[in-house]
Amino acid sequence: MSAQTRELPSSMTSPETGELLTRGVRPFAVAYKGLALTVDLPGYYPDGEGDGVHVGNDMAAADAALRTMKERVDGVPSPTTIKRVRAKLKLSQRAAGAVFRVGPSAFDKYERGLIEPSGPTIQLITLLDRHPELIADLQGDLK
């Protein structure tokens, strides 16, 4: 069983305070350049107020909120947007890497949120989202 699918224990001892923490969800504010989103953040929390401990994929909701705000403010496409545009263009991740002239595993990394595309790649993704018919011109350059 992988670490991502393993059932987490219902409680743990805080490594900092020794206090008993219970698995739960609390609202968490994520802010970026004047925007703010509140997400439900899973983790281990003390009774009442206090800091929690986050393990595994607990921070995924906060990461997704940050990417959403970066897309709105800076135009950096989120992993979901990148995957949607690639599917719209009917390209595999490897084929998208060839068309965009980035590494063969770049789109896998973009779509998993491990790295963000460079400025020119962002512009090309945005352009092809608006004008998908232009993909034929780019694919013709590969032949």
Side-chain angles (χ1 to χ4, degrees):
M1 187 182 304
S2 76
Q4 292 178 335
T5 59
R6 188 176 346 160
E7 187 72 25
L8 294 171
S10 62
S11 63
M12 71 178 288
T13 302
S14 169
E16 291 184 15
T17 65
E19 182 178 12
L20 179 66
L21 305 176
T22 305
R23 189 87 182 138
V25 176
R26 292 203 178 162
F28 181 78
V30 181
Y32 183 76
K33 292 185 178 179
L35 283 183
L37 292 173
T38 300
V39 299
D40 290 332
L41 191 64
Y44 291 95
Y45 296 100
D47 284 338
E49 297 295 315
D51 291 333
V53 173
H54 304 98
V55 298
N57 290 327
D58 286 351
M59 295 303 294
D63 293 343
L66 179 60
R67 288 187 179 100
T68 296
M69 290 185 287
K70 287 182 87 170
E71 186 167 40
R72 287 184 197 161
V73 173
D74 298 332
V76 176
S78 69
T80 303
T81 297
I82 293 168
K83 185 174 185 174
R84 178 187 56 75
V85 172
R86 181 183 57 77
K88 178 182 190 177
L89 299 171
K90 297 181 172 84
L91 296 172
S92 67
Q93 289 178 335
R94 187 169 288 282
V99 168
F100 284 71
R101 303 201 188 242
V102 294
S105 63
F107 271 77
D108 173 61
K109 293 175 183 174
Y110 300 156
E111 292 175 17
R112 290 192 294 142
L114 300 177
I115 60 172
E116 291 180 353
S118 66
T121 301
I122 290 169
Q123 289 180 312
L124 193 51
I125 290 168
T126 303
L127 180 66
L128 289 171
D129 189 21
R130 293 181 187 143
H131 301 284
E133 70 280 2
L134 296 176
I135 192 68
D137 291 339
L138 294 172
Q139 287 173 318
D141 289 346
L142 296 176
K143 296 177 181 174

